[in-house]
Amino acid sequence: MTMDDNNLTFDKITSDLTHHIRINKGFMVWMGFLTVSLAVCLYAYSMQLRTGLGVAGIRDYVTWGLYLANFVFFVAASLIGMLISAVLGLIGMKWLTPITRIAETIAVAFAAVAGLIIISDMGRPERLAYVFIYARPQSPILWDVTVITTYFVLSLLLLFLPLIADMAVIHRKVASLPSWLKPVYKSLSLNFTDRPEQNKIINRSIRILLILLIPAALSIHTVTSWLFAVTSRAGWDSTVFGPYFVSGAFVAGSAAVIIAMFFFRKNYKLQDYLTDMHFNNMGKVLATVSLVYLYFNINEFLVPGYKMKRADAVHLQELFAGKDALLFWVVQLGGLVLPILFMLFRRFRKPLPIMLISIAVLIAAWFKRYIIVIPTQEHPFLPIQHVPQNFVHYSPTLIETLITIAPFILVLIIITLISKFFPVIPLHETAREKGIEHIKFD
Amino acid sequence: MDDSNTPHSNNESENQKGSSRRDFLKNLGLAGVGVAAGAAALYSGHIFEAKKEVSGDQKVLLTQDGKLVQVDSLEIKALEKNGKELHETLGREGIPGRRWVMVTDLSKCRNARKCINACQGAHQLRPEQYHMNTLQMQDTPGTAPYNMPKNCQHCDNPPCVAVCPVDATYKRPDGIVLIENDRCIGCRFCMAACPYSARIFNWIEPKDAANHQGEEYNVELNVPQKLGTISKCLFSADRLREGKLPYCVEACPNSVYYFGDENEDAVTNGTTKETVRLSKLLRDNGGYQLMPELGTKPRVYYLPPKNRLFPFEEAKDATPEKV
Amino acid sequence: MRFNKTLIIIFLFSLGTRVAAQTWVVPDDQKAVVAPLKFTPDMQKQGEQLYMKNCQSCHGLPGKDNWAKLTPPPGDLSKEKAQKQTDGEIFYRITTGKVPMPEFRNILPEDDRWSVIAYLRSFNPKYIQPNPVAKAAFTGRIVTLSMQYSEPMKKIVVTASEQLKDGQAGLASGVEIMLYVKRYFGKMQVGDVKTTNAKGQALFEFPADFPGNKDGYVEVSAMVNDPKSIMKTTPANATLAIGVPTDKPSLTATRAMWSTRDKAPVWILLTYTLSVIIVWGFIFYIIYSILKIKRLSNG
């Protein structure tokens, strides 16, 4: 710790972690910008609602396009909540405490929006309820809907439980809190008065959640990978797709957390809590999961590439040396191999460099989903003939791109709101870890 | 796992740990309740299969396809359904006792595309929408090119049906894989799962949608087509019910298609109307299926393109306009 | 050099096919056949529809010279070369066909074949239809068939009887018989054409592996092979228990991954239901505990 823990008081921590909870001009401008952008994208979606999925570039052969690639990306990014909170948390990595809420916020935001993306990819969105009414337990789509809902609720609870104590403090102590928000915090704090029975319930619930979160999180991305792996298409017909997707998800999620950490630290002045040590360690986490992901990438491409079965060969040739080669190699080298090499050095795990590396990794992670979803469909087993050119090669339309951007804006809105109105860093747990006595609740 | 090491825990006393262990046992009990409830739900889900009353009073009825059948009087319900519901029921039940099968003789196809036109006409399809499409194939660079009409293979292990989340596409007892576009949610998982690229989607307003507005939906013909739903070859289920051959089979001028019932071991040529034994036809001509290694068990057989009646020529038809 | 060889081969090949094309001779008596009806605009209209369905894919649209590039070339039927044939010649060619042209004997009834000719003639302004000749009054044999299954011989016995000139009934020998079995889309011929012996009988072996209905019944019919319609015949029909009883289960009888929800594999139903119940049981339990926090407060 760079901070002299002995000088800390609970009041100091409270003010450090909650001073940003106020409605200021910067927040209004940022939210205004996001809202206007979202409105533009929603207008694009209203056009799709009126005239059908044909406004997008997807057609009979490439039938899953940007929307589905985006969906996979969002599910992937949401998985980080489980890695940080459950896996590393249960192992007992104490340095993670200030990052848990960031990770859970990202998990909640991305999981919630992933569900919405699927609706934007439906030809008949008004029939969404049919998924439950006529639910077919053999379809991976039902599994996916089930596990994403479950994971979202688990993550939301895991975000909420540590907040109970924090909100009890906020509505009592934070002067900058707008008066109309006070009753909201008060009721959300559930009359928490730091009694042992209350703490016991919270702690036990958190433990159960942490344990449930691991299978739920593994399921969401494994099942999402099965949307592809249960088909016999070249490039999708793979037995390592589950772990391949899960490890890739950790890469995307870790990168997202690092980026969020960087901006929260800067904007909310959390330098004392999100220290270079945290970035250094998160850099190690990112490097580790990237190495695992690289390992699965090698499996995923080397094994079929060695055999070059007919359908695989067409697909792989396009990826390695054909139409998609530039994208493929930029993503694999620039988004995975080079970042790993950089991250081996401590100086690249400082806040700014690791944030820049994370941005590169995150962008590459999005395009990686594109590479997984689209090229396979351009090479079906039987030739594509007697159809218009735009059926043969997929190119996204403007409307489709706008509808694809909308989820990012939504995620930013959700993250902004959560981080603006709640402490980015768990208040109570930080105090506890530093051995500071709890405040008295009157 | 030690409580004190988790980021969310405080230093609880031994006593508290003990109680948390008791709570864990309580949770286990809860899980047990969950298991029991699950079993109950499962059981109630299947009870319908076992529960069948019999009165002993048998009635003789005439079925849709002109057969006399004996039915227990308790099983007879007046069909008070409207036409659409009736269509849906019949559409799901199929034609009893049949296993439809198609044989496509590649040696006779010269890409006349009559089948395609007939099909697109019957099913209100746009020029770029194919239930049936003739592909120009060349298996390896050294082998001869040939024309291959390709429709839905109506697999007995259909990967498309397996993935449907809402039972919108389903396999009937007579083998036909149908699509009910009143239920389809447009997720297109079936298209991704089909290795034969047999399925199409109504990306934009279907052809002449305005003219067909308000028409009663016929699941066996899949018309009117609906925006945002899947469409595919149906083996002309509506024609089979009338004892007629499918539209494509009937329209072929070159005797390419045979269609029939595997249970009868007979297929009828759509052009010559000659009926032959299915097993003999396949045996004598080296019949095969498309990509049998995928285990999809197609109901469409192909006869190899040997001794072709027509020389192969590159398809000269114009590619449909961009949509 | 190789190019020259190729040329020679192409030349020889085309010569060969030309010779083949010229060998499609129509017998003189068939050439003289004339239509039984006067060609009317209605006939031409119907002929046009039939032409579009059955002929256009090879012969193209009349007058447009857009026939398919086949060997031998199908040619435009509105042109001189086709039109200089007699109606009988065209009728014969349509009826009998010659690879790759299909024979339309069983595809188009006689009237339809004449309609197509009526349509084709509408492109020839010089054409004058010969006076129609209705079919001559019947003078040939009148044959009636009967059929039964002979258990000892394991054969189907078709007996042909005919009405003799003196009005007496007698057994008809030398009549060609075809045996058919009813299938869903039409009749299937069983075995070859057989000629009746002196006892007027033709014996048909019935395949041992032929599927019948679930009790093994097969609907069989016997007909006289009389392509030129020189006889008046009555076919015989019978439902015989000579097929293999066939009662295959429905293709959706078993539980499978692709079945409907009602027939989902049990393990999937179990796994899915249990997982959901267990996890959501815990979730509701946690929500319930959270609500308890409020009650446990100090004041």
Side-chain angles (χ1 to χ4, degrees):
Chain A
M1 296 264 159
T2 56
M3 200 170 19
D4 185 356
D5 288 0
N6 297 332
N7 289 346
L8 273 178
T9 62
F10 193 81
D11 283 346
K12 168 86 167 78
I13 293 178
T14 308
S15 106
D16 281 353
L17 297 184
T18 60
H19 68 87
H20 66 278
I21 303 182
R22 66 201 157 88
I23 295 167
N24 56 349
K25 206 172 151 201
F27 170 73
M28 297 300 280
V29 170
W30 172 237
M31 282 304 286
F33 165 73
L34 289 179
T35 314
V36 170
S37 315
L38 186 65
V40 172
C41 297
L42 286 182
Y43 176 70
Y45 183 59
S46 77
M47 285 170 76
Q48 179 176 307
L49 273 183
R50 258 178 289 134
T51 51
L53 271 176
V55 296
I58 34 178
R59 286 295 181 270
D60 284 349
Y61 293 89
V62 180
T63 167
W64 284 344
L66 285 195
Y67 301 151
L68 209 86
N70 215 25
F71 167 73
V72 177
F73 175 80
F74 274 63
V75 174
S78 79
L79 218 61
I80 193 60
M82 164 267 197
L83 179 71
I84 300 282
S85 301
V87 179
L88 301 181
L90 283 176
I91 291 169
M93 295 200 169
K94 273 192 170 175
W95 62 269
L96 278 170
T97 307
I99 302 173
T100 50
R101 188 161 294 157
I102 296 176
E104 280 312 325
T105 307
I106 286 178
V108 166
F110 278 92
V113 177
L116 294 178
I117 298 177
I118 274 301
I119 298 174
S120 77
D121 200 23
M122 284 170 66
R124 285 272 169 179
E126 80 277 13
R127 294 180 185 172
L128 181 65
Y130 287 8
V131 177
F132 304 99
I133 298 171
Y134 301 114
R136 245 185 110 246
Q138 299 102 306
S139 173
I141 286 195
L142 181 70
W143 311 342
D144 219 13
V145 168
T146 311
V147 289
I148 287 176
T149 316
T150 307
Y151 181 73
F152 169 69
V153 172
L154 289 175
S155 299
L156 197 63
L157 286 173
L158 200 53
L159 179 69
F160 176 69
L161 278 167
L163 265 176
I164 295 173
D166 288 8
M167 283 187 290
V169 177
I170 293 168
H171 86 87
R172 285 180 174 84
K173 297 263 171 189
V174 179
S176 59
L177 192 67
S179 58
W180 56 273
L181 269 175
K182 267 190 185 157
V184 179
Y185 281 79
K186 190 163 189 282
S187 62
L188 281 179
S189 70
L190 302 171
N191 289 341
F192 180 81
T193 46
D194 205 18
R195 287 186 53 185
E197 297 92 331
Q198 291 180 321
N199 276 320
K200 208 185 83 185
I201 290 176
I202 291 179
N203 289 330
R204 197 185 55 212
S205 302
I206 287 174
R207 275 191 75 83
I208 298 174
L209 285 175
L210 288 182
I211 292 165
L212 286 179
L213 202 61
I214 295 176
L218 285 177
S219 302
I220 61 166
H221 219 40
T222 308
V223 170
T224 303
S225 83
W226 288 349
L227 295 185
F228 308 97
V230 297
T231 72
S232 39
R233 297 289 193 90
W236 290 353
D237 179 12
S238 160
T239 50
V240 298
F241 245 42
Y244 174 53
F245 270 47
V246 169
S247 57
F250 290 153
V251 174
S254 305
V257 164
I258 292 172
I259 297 167
M261 277 164 65
F262 184 86
F263 285 100
F264 288 147
R265 173 171 127 126
K266 199 160 178 299
N267 290 3
Y268 298 156
K269 302 191 175 50
L270 298 171
Q271 283 85 350
D272 289 343
Y273 299 86
L274 294 169
T275 62
D276 282 13
M277 178 273 289
H278 291 106
F279 284 89
N280 186 37
N281 284 358
M282 277 309 292
K284 286 181 189 164
V285 170
L286 181 56
T288 313
V289 293
S290 296
L291 277 169
V292 176
Y293 190 43
L294 181 64
Y295 167 73
F296 277 110
N297 268 282
I298 292 169
N299 274 279
E300 185 52 35
F301 291 105
L302 188 116
V303 175
Y306 186 91
K307 290 176 284 196
M308 283 294 185
K309 291 197 282 188
R310 184 157 80 163
D312 287 343
V314 178
H315 173 63
L316 292 176
Q317 237 128 33
E318 285 293 333
L319 284 188
F320 294 164
K323 189 166 81 69
D324 306 309
L326 182 66
L327 185 61
F328 178 79
W329 290 113
V330 168
V331 163
Q332 295 293 65
L333 298 177
L336 198 54
V337 177
L338 282 182
I340 291 173
L341 291 178
F342 279 122
M343 284 185 290
L344 294 179
F345 301 98
R346 191 183 178 91
R347 86 172 89 140
F348 289 107
R349 299 199 299 265
K350 295 256 177 223
L352 183 66
I354 194 71
M355 187 274 287
L356 293 174
I357 289 174
S358 294
I359 288 181
V361 168
L362 197 65
I363 293 173
W366 191 89
F367 280 102
K368 185 62 194 286
R369 300 324 181 265
Y370 183 94
I371 289 174
I372 291 172
V373 174
I374 282 100
T376 281
Q377 299 174 76
E378 287 183 345
H379 318 121
F381 289 115
L382 296 172
I384 303 177
Q385 288 176 355
H386 312 292
V387 289
Q389 264 307 304
N390 63 328
F391 279 51
V392 183
H393 297 296
Y394 169 62
S395 59
T397 61
L398 176 66
I399 293 176
E400 190 177 10
T401 313
L402 286 174
I403 297 174
T404 305
I405 292 171
F408 287 96
I409 301 171
L410 262 177
V411 155
L412 284 178
I413 290 178
I414 295 173
I415 293 178
T416 306
L417 288 177
I418 293 178
S419 69
K420 187 68 192 171
F421 291 104
F422 303 108
V424 174
I425 289 170
L427 189 60
H428 251 70
E429 282 158 302
T430 307
R432 268 180 210 152
E433 287 213 339
K434 294 185 190 297
I436 293 165
E437 276 309 303
H438 308 143
I439 53 150
K440 297 279 171 292
F441 287 93
D442 35 314
Chain B
M1 266 170 279
D2 189 35
D3 253 357
S4 61
N5 276 347
T6 69
H8 296 286
S9 69
N10 63 352
N11 296 317
E12 284 175 314
S13 66
E14 276 304 306
N15 185 20
Q16 276 170 318
K17 272 194 183 173
S19 79
S20 124
R21 236 168 255 131
R22 274 198 299 282
D23 283 326
F24 181 69
L25 289 177
K26 216 156 73 187
N27 294 341
L28 269 183
L30 196 77
V33 172
V35 172
L42 203 71
Y43 177 69
S44 63
H46 295 290
I47 222 158
F48 77 99
E49 281 190 353
K51 195 175 172 185
K52 267 182 188 158
E53 284 179 68
V54 179
S55 72
D57 176 24
Q58 302 282 310
K59 293 243 161 30
V60 177
L61 299 175
L62 185 68
T63 65
Q64 191 82 9
D65 60 329
K67 269 191 174 171
L68 286 175
V69 291
Q70 211 171 36
V71 186
D72 191 277
S73 64
L74 272 184
E75 302 242 310
I76 300 170
K77 278 172 239 140
L79 285 173
E80 285 166 7
K81 296 168 172 173
N82 63 29
K84 180 171 165 271
E85 276 176 273
L86 185 65
H87 261 310
E88 274 167 23
T89 318
L90 289 176
R92 288 204 174 243
E93 283 164 3
I95 302 169
R98 305 286 165 187
R99 289 183 176 190
W100 304 117
V101 64
M102 185 168 183
V103 181
T104 305
D105 185 351
L106 299 179
S107 67
K108 295 193 187 129
C109 178
R110 48 164 294 251
N111 194 22
R113 301 183 87 75
K114 290 282 171 191
C115 51
I116 297 166
N117 295 342
C119 171
Q120 289 180 331
H123 298 296
Q124 302 172 2
L125 299 173
R126 292 174 187 277
E128 76 282 356
Q129 292 184 300
Y130 300 105
H131 284 183
M132 165 72 82
N133 192 358
T134 305
L135 304 176
Q136 278 66 59
M137 300 288 290
Q138 187 166 22
D139 293 340
T140 64
T143 54
Y146 59 94
N147 299 307
M148 186 182 83
K150 181 223 59 181
N151 52 327
C152 170
Q153 306 288 301
H154 296 274
C155 307
D156 280 353
N157 178 21
C160 51
V161 176
V163 297
C164 179
V166 293
D167 270 342
T169 188
Y170 54 92
K171 189 169 179 71
R172 302 203 310 193
D174 58 2
I176 302 183
V177 174
L178 274 184
I179 162 82
E180 185 183 328
N181 76 15
D182 271 349
R183 188 179 293 186
C184 176
I185 60 167
C187 69
R188 311 185 303 292
F189 200 175
C190 52
M191 299 179 82
C194 175
Y196 304 102
S197 311
R199 288 172 170 257
I200 57 166
F201 190 74
N202 284 301
W203 299 100
I204 53 176
E205 202 63 63
K207 187 181 164 212
D208 304 329
N211 302 347
H212 301 299
Q213 220 157 27
E215 266 175 37
E216 195 170 87
Y217 174 57
N218 180 351
V219 69
E220 293 195 328
L221 190 58
N222 202 36
V223 296
Q225 300 281 343
K226 283 197 187 73
L227 176 70
T229 63
I230 296 284
S231 188
K232 67 179 273 296
C233 160
L234 324 138
F235 265 177
S236 303
D238 59 320
R239 301 260 300 178
L240 304 184
R241 205 170 272 292
E242 298 165 18
K244 290 182 186 160
L245 290 164
Y247 297 101
C248 51
V249 172
E250 189 108 291
C252 176
N254 298 313
S255 331
V256 173
Y257 299 111
Y258 295 84
F259 194 90
D261 176 10
E262 188 193 310
N263 285 347
E264 286 188 340
D265 196 20
V267 284
T268 302
N269 188 291
T271 314
T272 64
K273 303 293 184 291
E274 188 191 2
T275 302
V276 297
R277 283 193 81 168
L278 170 68
S279 51
K280 186 174 174 348
L281 183 72
L282 296 177
R283 187 174 63 233
D284 293 354
N285 296 283
Y288 67 95
Q289 294 173 328
L290 282 188
M291 294 182 252
E293 68 276 13
L294 297 179
T296 50
K297 301 185 194 157
R299 298 209 72 74
V300 177
Y301 291 89
Y302 285 89
L303 304 183
K306 69 171 254 201
N307 297 334
R308 293 166 43 77
L309 284 183
F310 306 99
F312 180 86
E313 41 183 304
E314 285 301 321
K316 55 189 179 299
D317 59 323
T319 304
E321 289 289 298
K322 176 178 171 171
V323 287
Chain C
M1 196 60 213
R2 177 176 292 171
F3 179 63
N4 280 344
K5 257 189 198 159
T6 321
L7 267 187
I8 291 167
I9 289 167
I10 290 175
F11 175 69
L12 286 176
F13 184 67
S14 57
L15 198 71
T17 53
R18 182 140 310 171
V19 170
Q22 283 166 352
T23 55
W24 193 5
V25 203
V26 179
D28 283 343
D29 60 328
Q30 295 298 318
K31 268 187 195 169
V33 169
V34 291
L37 291 164
K38 183 90 187 137
F39 294 160
T40 60
D42 276 352
M43 264 177 96
Q44 290 171 351
K45 205 177 233 174
Q46 204 210 339
E48 181 176 4
Q49 284 173 11
L50 293 165
Y51 180 90
M52 291 308 162
K53 181 174 179 295
N54 295 288
C55 322
Q56 180 258 331
S57 74
C58 290
H59 289 282
L61 293 169
K64 296 275 193 293
D65 252 333
N66 57 355
W67 36 271
K69 306 275 174 293
L70 303 174
T71 316
D76 188 325
L77 298 179
S78 68
K79 293 290 154 69
E80 167 87 44
K81 188 177 175 230
Q83 291 285 344
K84 74 180 181 207
Q85 303 175 86
T86 65
D87 291 343
E89 270 180 290
I90 302 178
F91 188 82
Y92 178 83
R93 289 185 207 271
I94 296 176
T95 307
T96 59
K98 189 164 185 303
V99 176
M101 177 165 160
E103 60 172 297
F104 285 88
R105 196 198 307 273
N106 300 321
I107 304 172
L108 297 177
E110 274 190 29
D111 289 353
D112 284 355
R113 281 173 255 163
W114 285 117
S115 298
V116 172
I117 296 169
Y119 168 67
L120 291 175
R121 291 303 193 194
S122 70
F123 292 90
N124 182 357
K126 285 182 231 155
Y127 172 77
I128 301 157
Q129 190 186 358
N131 282 332
V133 177
K135 272 199 173 161
F138 185 76
T139 53
R141 301 167 82 178
I142 301 169
V143 176
T144 305
L145 301 183
S146 68
M147 162 169 59
Q148 67 234 31
Y149 184 68
S150 158
E151 195 60 52
M153 284 194 288
K154 300 273 177 220
K155 278 179 181 165
I156 295 174
V157 182
V158 179
T159 312
S161 54
E162 77 183 308
Q163 203 181 322
L164 298 173
K165 292 273 183 291
D166 53 11
Q168 295 286 311
L171 294 167
S173 62
V175 178
E176 291 186 343
I177 309 285
M178 297 180 293
L179 192 70
Y180 287 96
V181 171
K182 192 179 165 236
R183 302 281 85 169
Y184 195 81
F185 294 106
K187 288 180 296 192
M188 182 201 295
Q189 194 176 352
V190 181
D192 298 327
V193 178
K194 296 256 158 74
T195 310
T196 51
N197 57 18
K199 288 191 276 180
Q201 286 183 334
L203 303 182
F204 287 89
E205 206 144 351
F206 197 79
D209 58 349
F210 202 88
N213 69 6
K214 73 177 173 11
D215 301 314
Y217 282 98
V218 193
E219 284 177 52
V220 190
S221 60
M223 270 181 238
V224 175
N225 181 31
D226 180 30
K228 289 178 184 163
S229 305
I230 53 172
M231 295 183 224
K232 203 170 236 176
T233 64
T234 311
N237 299 304
T239 304
L240 307 171
I242 51 174
V244 178
T246 308
D247 192 16
K248 297 256 183 73
S250 126
L251 283 165
T252 55
T254 50
R255 290 181 180 274
M257 204 55 98
W258 47 264
S259 292
T260 52
R261 172 167 63 179
D262 307 337
K263 283 184 181 164
V266 175
W267 66 269
I268 273 209
L269 278 172
L270 256 162
T271 316
Y272 178 80
T273 322
L274 283 187
S275 319
V276 168
I277 288 175
I278 290 171
V279 175
W280 281 85
F282 277 117
I283 289 177
F284 285 120
Y285 170 70
I286 288 170
I287 292 173
Y288 167 75
S289 331
I290 290 174
L291 296 176
K292 230 165 44 181
I293 294 176
K294 205 164 186 173
R295 275 185 273 130
L296 288 170
S297 116
N298 280 335

